[in-house]
Amino acid sequence: MAEFAGRRIVITGGAGGIGVATARTFLDHGAHVLLLDLDEQRLNEAKAALGGTRVFTAATDLSSLAVRDDLLARAKPVYALVNLAGLFEPDPLDPEDHSVWDRAIAANLTNAYDMAVAFRRYVDTRGPARLVFASSVAFRRGSPGYAAYGAAKGGIVGLTRSLARRFAPDVLVNAVAPGVIVTRMSEQIIAERGDAYRQDIPLQRFGEPGEVASVIRFLCSRDASYITGQTITVDGGLTNA
């Protein structure tokens, strides 16, 4: 039997490159998947690409408590929440304009916190449920052009550690910290500084979405039954070389 047969997985940022790859690997192992994203057109494209009858979508910005509760209530019991939703934009460090900071914290950290709190009410009680957040190597290395984003992703690590203690033993809480992964989100930074980044990566290439998705699947698997409160870096050795 497929490991996730009958299990329900909710993926925020589900129309993104890592979101679609994550959905695919869970579907391959029997899960039912609900993809949440702002972009309805890209959600439709993701569903068409994934095919099958076990893929469901909803277009939402996750900012409404009522919407979050309604979606999770309809999906319950939820075995795993994979929170990939976020915003990546340059930070001009303008002392007269907090808008980039406010958007970064809201989209990357506040939404993660809100989804996690809502998720706990609808978890599948058949063994520990799973919660996986998306951090970033930006929290480890620092990112000079994306200070607000790096700060928000550092907050995700603190949130992961805190909720791992608070939600135990009913929910295992972990995070992944991807490096430069070939997705729509990273197109601009690869175009601007791709060669320099590649030279710093011991594996001499950028990551593929499936290489992050496989780590997420592992964290939700029975093989990760004694892992919680951890942030696993997936960056080809960029931060540890």
Side-chain angles (χ1 to χ4, degrees), residues 5-6 8 18 20-21 26 28 42-43 55 58 70 74 103 121 136 144 158 185 199 201 210 226 233 236:
R8 299 178 180 185
I18 295 174
V20 173
F26 278 122
D28 288 346
R42 293 185 67 208
L43 277 173
V55 182
D70 179 62
R74 283 192 282 153
R103 286 193 297 271
R121 298 176 55 194
S136 167
M185 179 178 284
Q199 290 173 12
I201 300 171
Y226 202 57
T233 302

Side-chain angles (χ1 to χ4, degrees):
M1 177 183 289
E3 178 169 5
F4 300 106
R7 297 287 199 180
R8 299 178 180 185
I9 315 292
V10 176
I11 304 173
T12 73
I18 295 174
V20 173
T22 300
R24 181 173 288 112
T25 191
F26 278 122
L27 290 167
D28 288 346
H29 290 78
H32 291 71
V33 175
L34 171 61
L35 304 180
L36 307 179
D37 202 284
L38 269 170
D39 194 323
E40 186 169 8
Q41 180 179 340
R42 293 185 67 208
L43 277 173
N44 292 336
E45 293 169 357
K47 184 172 183 178
L50 292 166
T53 59
R54 291 178 282 116
V55 182
F56 307 90
T57 64
T60 174
D61 65 0
L62 303 177
S63 62
S64 164
L65 173 61
V67 169
R68 288 193 300 271
D69 273 3
D70 179 62
L71 289 169
L72 290 170
R74 283 192 282 153
K76 71 177 184 182
V78 182
Y79 171 70
L81 169 64
V82 180
N83 195 86
L84 303 175
L87 180 66
F88 181 67
E89 64 177 327
D91 186 348
L93 301 180
D94 183 347
E96 296 181 357
D97 184 0
H98 254 213
S99 61
V100 171
W101 174 270
D102 293 341
R103 286 193 297 271
I105 298 301
N108 296 291
L109 185 55
T110 303
N111 276 351
Y113 172 88
D114 288 342
M115 283 298 297
V117 171
F119 162 69
R120 193 183 185 194
R121 298 176 55 194
Y122 302 104
V123 297
D124 190 333
T125 58
R126 294 173 294 170
R130 309 300 167 95
L131 174 54
V132 181
F133 291 116
S135 182
S136 167
V137 294
F139 101 90
R140 293 190 185 279
R141 285 171 56 92
S143 183
Y146 297 83
Y149 175 82
K153 291 304 186 179
I156 288 290
V157 175
L159 183 64
T160 298
R161 292 169 177 165
S162 295
L163 294 186
R165 298 174 67 88
R166 180 69 177 268
F167 288 2
D170 302 319
V171 183
L172 306 184
V173 185
N174 294 288
V176 291
V180 185
I181 309 299
V182 181
T183 65
R184 181 179 177 182
M185 179 178 284
S186 65
E187 284 178 351
Q188 182 175 348
I189 200 167
I190 289 175
E192 292 174 351
R193 299 198 297 276
D195 289 342
Y197 272 116
R198 191 182 292 106
Q199 290 173 12
D200 282 344
I201 300 171
L203 295 189
Q204 293 292 294
R205 65 177 179 84
F206 302 127
E208 296 294 332
E211 293 176 303
V212 181
S214 62
V215 177
I216 293 171
R217 187 194 68 230
F218 163 71
L219 290 172
C220 294
S221 74
R222 63 177 67 95
D223 292 332
S225 59
Y226 202 57
I227 300 174
T228 195
Q230 305 304 307
T231 298
I232 298 180
T233 302
V234 188
D235 69 349
L238 177 65
T239 54
N240 295 313

